[in-house]
């Protein structure tokens, strides 16, 4: 029976691949990877400078940001040189800008990869929600937990890992007085916390599969003292509604209790992005390799799929290595024509030059590596900068839909920033007092735009807005200040879109709770 299900699945995947190839004969996809310093308005300025992306991922944490954009290549003469589907063998040399390093490359997608599944398994795990700074033990805990999640998806249920994000926002806190629902009050959680949010596309839609996967994650969280939530899958419950499985404990397991692992604050972050055809097990393979280096932690991650290509972005923290030394060694390595592009080969060579040894010693004849043909883009390293978000910022979620065009996300993002400038009053930020437009204080912590088969591009983003701005939206206690802020911003955003004359923009929504966005938004 199991072999029959696998056979049917393979036929379905083959049929889907044939449909995609027939619809888009030239499937090679160009993309850009921007490793930059986190600053307000970078994505807006990038789009305004004619960087047109069809699909986009953007995130920022620990003082560093990443912007990834794809565009489907269109044939010009029909005689363009064709590279092997595995992609270039040598590492890409970056183009250096004032903000960071920029990489340009191309890849072949995997048209059999199923992103939009009838059923997904989505979870949220809180590692240390009260932490104000990232310590070395946090990096090891995030690395190990992310590896366990990816392993459960790949080996337990043979399902693709759709997304993996850290840090992320925890569920809204609900309080009542003596369990009286009439006194129910919802309090927004901090904008971002040391937590991992993930989703898995289930190939087999069954209660047994869900229970098996949930039990594996629950046992792991109870072992280490983490909090665990599952997405509420009941009809009418949108992304952002959560069901608590186990609460976070005050004590962590002996593996991360501070006696064994260092509580020293991290000093350097190294952005690394691995790119290749989306397939089951690739994220697991990358994290398994990193786990063999005890000095290397993961202090931030953003993993998703655009145009059937997997993008796995990791912020690595390497104990005892300063940013200047790391950049000097990495720059010399990338400047060599023999520098490898594959994740294991490039990172192994980099770690070797840094004096790091794998533990245990690497064994030959290992199992097949699903990421063996991936490309790797690393650097530049930057000094760690603690997030100022919790508890000083409010998460504002926005979503939109736009007809597929050559403009990418430029129109809705440009109108959104103009609406921010209109709605929010400039604020004093320095002594002597200088004012800065509040729109420049709103940080894009996370953004994703993805094209659908209905010729539309849907976008969703989380903005971090200083809570001090809420004083401008006093309501006399009748309406929460955050709700008034979001209503005013949504109204101004729609007005700016109407004035811009850009056709095809719709479903613009602003809310301080993710579950209040449009029903179609991505998790």
């Amino acid at each position: 029976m199991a072999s029959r299900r696998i056979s049917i699945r393979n036929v379905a995947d083959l049929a889907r691949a044939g449909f995609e190839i027939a619809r888009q004969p030239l499937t090679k996809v160009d993309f850009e990877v921007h490793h930059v310093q986190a600053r307000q308005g970078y994505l807006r300025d990038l789009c305004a400078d004619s960087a047109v992306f069809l699909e986009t991922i953007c995130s920022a944490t620990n003082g560093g940001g990443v912007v990834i954009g794809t565009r489907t290549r269109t044939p010009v003469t029909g005689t363009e040189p064709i590279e092997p589907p595995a992609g270039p063998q040598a590492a890409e040399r970056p183009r250096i800008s004032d903000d960071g390093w920029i990489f340009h490359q191309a890849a072949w997608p995997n048209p059999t990869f199923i992103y939009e599944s009838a059923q997904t398994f989505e979870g949220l795990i809180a590692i240390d929600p009260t932490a104000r700074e990232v310590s070395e033990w946090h990096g090891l805990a995030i690395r190990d937990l992310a590896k366990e999640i990816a392993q459960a998806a790949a080996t337990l249920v043979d399902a693709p890992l759709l997304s993996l994000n850290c840090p992320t926002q925890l569920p809204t806190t609900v309080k009542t007085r003596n369990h009286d629902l009439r006194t129910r009050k919802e309090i927004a959680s901090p904008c971002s916390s040391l937590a991992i949010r993930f989703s898995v596309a289930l190939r087999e839609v069954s209660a047994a599969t869900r229970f098996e996967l949930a039990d594996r994650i629950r046992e792991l969280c109870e072992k280490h003292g983490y909090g665990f939530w599952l997405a509420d899958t009941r009809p009418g419950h949108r992304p952002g509604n959560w069901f608590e499985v186990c609460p976070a404990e005050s004590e962590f397991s002996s593996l991360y209790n501070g006696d064994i692992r260092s509580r020293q604050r991290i000093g350097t972050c190294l952005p690394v992005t691995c790119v290749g055809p989306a397939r089951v097990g690739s994220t697991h393979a990358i994290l398994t390799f990193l786990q063999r280096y005890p000095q290397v932690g993961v202090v931030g991650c953003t993993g998703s799929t655009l145009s059937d290509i997997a993008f796995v972005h990791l912020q690595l923290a390497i104990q005892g290595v300063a940013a200047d030394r790391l950049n000097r060694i990495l720059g010399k390595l990338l400047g060599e024509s023999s520098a490898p592009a594959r994740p294991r080969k490039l990172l192994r060579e980099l770690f070797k030059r840094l004096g790091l040894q794998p533990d245990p010693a690497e064994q030959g004849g290992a199992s097949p590596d699903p990421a063996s043909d991936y490309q790797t883009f690393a650097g530049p390293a930057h000094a760690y900068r603690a997030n100022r978000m919790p508890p000083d910022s409010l998460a504002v979620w926005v979503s939109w839909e736009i007809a597929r065009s050559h403009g990418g996300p430029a129109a809705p993002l440009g109108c959104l920033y103009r609406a921010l400038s209109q709605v929010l009053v400039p604020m004093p930020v320095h002594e002597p007092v200088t004012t800065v437009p509040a729109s420049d204080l709103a940080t894009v912590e996370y953004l994703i735009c993805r094209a659908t088969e209905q010729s539309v591009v849907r976008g969703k983003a989380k903005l971090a807005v200083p809570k001090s701005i809420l004083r401008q939206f006093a309501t006399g206690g009748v309406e929460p200040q955050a709700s008034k802020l979001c209503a005013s911003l949504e109204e101004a955003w729609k007005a700016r879109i109407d004035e811009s004359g850009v056709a095809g923009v719709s479903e613009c929504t602003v809310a301080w709770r993710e579950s209040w966005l449009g029903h179609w938004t991505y998790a």
Side-chain angles (χ1 to χ4, degrees):
M1 182 64 68
S3 62
R4 181 181 178 184
R5 285 198 300 267
I6 294 174
S7 176
I8 294 174
R9 180 197 309 160
N10 291 340
V11 171
D13 289 348
L14 182 62
R16 181 177 184 272
F19 171 76
E20 292 290 342
I21 293 172
R23 191 178 61 142
Q24 183 69 43
L26 188 64
T27 59
K28 193 173 182 181
V29 175
D30 292 317
F31 61 86
E32 292 183 17
V33 176
H34 296 239
H35 291 167
V36 296
Q37 297 179 1
R39 68 171 177 86
Q40 294 82 355
Y42 181 83
L43 180 60
R44 173 197 58 187
D45 297 341
L46 185 63
C47 293
D49 292 338
S50 72
V52 179
F53 298 138
L54 176 63
E55 297 182 292
T56 311
I57 301 175
C58 175
S59 70
T61 186
N62 301 326
V66 61
V67 177
I68 300 170
T70 68
R71 53 177 70 89
T72 303
R73 175 174 297 190
T74 55
V76 179
T77 64
T79 59
E80 59 178 324
I82 300 297
E83 299 169 352
Q89 298 290 323
E92 174 77 7
R93 298 184 184 183
R95 177 170 67 85
I96 300 176
S97 70
D98 293 337
D99 290 293
W101 291 1
I102 302 172
F103 303 87
H104 299 263
Q105 257 304 341
W108 270 262
N110 177 13
T112 67
F113 184 84
I114 299 176
Y115 179 85
E116 293 185 356
S117 173
Q119 293 289 335
T120 59
F121 181 93
E122 186 176 4
L124 182 62
I125 301 176
I127 297 175
D128 190 3
T130 61
R132 300 299 297 271
E133 292 183 334
V134 182
S135 301
E136 290 179 349
W137 81 266
H138 289 135
L140 301 174
I142 294 170
R143 180 202 64 190
D144 295 345
L145 179 57
K147 182 258 184 182
E148 293 291 339
I149 293 170
Q151 182 177 20
T155 62
L156 189 64
V157 294
D158 186 28
L161 186 64
L162 301 181
S163 63
L164 187 69
N165 296 294
C166 177
T168 189
Q169 186 181 24
L170 294 180
T172 301
T173 302
V174 179
K175 294 185 177 180
T176 60
R177 186 180 307 142
N178 297 325
H179 304 287
D180 185 352
L181 294 181
R182 293 172 297 180
T183 63
R184 188 176 188 272
K185 185 178 181 181
E186 294 181 341
I187 302 174
S189 58
C191 195
S192 65
S193 299
L194 278 175
I196 293 180
R197 180 172 176 173
F198 65 96
S199 61
V200 179
L202 298 181
R203 295 174 179 266
E204 273 190 42
V205 183
S206 67
T209 301
R210 285 187 172 277
F211 275 117
E212 186 177 17
L213 190 54
D215 281 343
R216 171 70 68 86
I217 303 299
R218 176 188 55 79
E219 291 172 359
L220 183 67
C221 292
E222 290 178 344
K223 173 183 177 182
H224 295 301
Y226 302 150
F228 179 34
W229 292 263
L230 282 176
D232 196 332
T233 57
R234 292 176 296 176
H237 288 71
R238 300 176 179 179
N241 282 304
W242 300 95
F243 177 78
E244 187 178 44
V245 177
C246 58
E249 301 291 341
S250 58
E251 296 293 334
F252 301 106
S253 70
S254 58
L255 186 61
Y256 306 114
N257 65 2
D259 297 331
I260 301 175
R261 302 300 190 186
S262 171
R263 290 186 176 272
Q264 181 177 349
R265 191 182 79 165
I266 63 171
T268 300
C269 298
L270 173 66
V272 175
T273 302
C274 302
V275 184
R279 60 172 67 100
V280 175
S282 57
T283 303
H284 175 228
I286 295 169
L287 292 169
T288 299
F289 170 77
L290 292 175
Q291 197 176 39
R292 297 176 52 246
Y293 289 85
Q295 307 94 327
V296 179
V298 176
V299 293
C301 61
T302 302
S304 192
T305 305
L306 302 180
S307 303
D308 295 328
I309 297 175
F311 293 89
V312 183
H313 176 77
L314 305 172
Q315 272 195 5
L316 305 183
I318 304 176
Q319 298 176 14
V321 181
D324 291 343
R325 176 171 176 252
L326 184 50
N327 282 331
R328 185 169 62 252
I329 294 175
L330 179 61
K332 183 177 179 180
L333 174 60
L334 295 180
E336 299 174 358
S337 59
S338 59
R342 307 300 173 233
R344 291 194 180 193
K345 292 181 178 179
L346 178 63
L347 293 177
R348 184 189 299 115
E349 181 62 27
L350 174 62
F351 295 159
K352 179 181 178 182
R353 297 189 184 192
L354 291 172
L356 308 183
Q357 296 297 324
D359 182 25
E362 188 169 9
Q363 302 293 328
S367 57
D369 179 7
S372 61
D373 58 347
Y374 276 34
Q375 302 173 59
T376 312
F377 308 98
H382 60 85
Y384 164 74
R385 189 171 76 239
N387 290 336
R388 57 176 182 161
M389 298 305 135
D392 303 318
S393 292
L394 172 74
V396 174
W397 292 86
V398 301
S399 62
W400 69 91
E401 179 179 289
I402 184 172
R404 186 166 178 165
S405 67
H406 297 294
L413 280 180
C415 293
L416 175 61
Y417 272 92
R418 288 196 292 273
L420 284 167
S421 297
Q422 173 189 340
V423 171
L424 307 181
V425 177
M427 300 177 57
V429 293
H430 297 296
E431 295 291 344
V433 175
T434 58
T435 58
V436 172
S439 60
D440 289 342
L441 297 179
T443 302
V444 178
E445 277 204 333
Y446 175 76
L447 178 145
I448 185 167
C449 297
R450 182 173 284 110
T452 73
E453 295 180 358
Q454 290 75 38
S455 296
V456 298
V457 178
R458 291 169 174 168
K460 173 180 177 180
K462 183 183 70 171
L463 309 179
V465 178
K467 284 187 176 180
S468 54
I469 290 176
L470 293 177
R471 293 195 297 266
Q472 306 172 18
F473 299 90
T475 61
V478 178
E479 179 184 17
Q481 293 175 310
S483 297
K484 188 174 181 180
L485 161 64
C486 294
S488 301
L489 181 56
E490 181 177 316
E491 182 180 356
W493 188 18
K494 292 178 178 178
R496 299 289 78 75
I497 289 174
D498 292 339
E499 293 174 0
S500 68
V502 177
V505 183
S506 61
E507 300 290 344
C508 297
T509 314
V510 181
W512 60 270
R513 285 193 60 173
E514 181 187 3
S515 59
W516 291 349
L517 296 178
H519 67 279
W520 45 262
T521 53
Y522 297 112

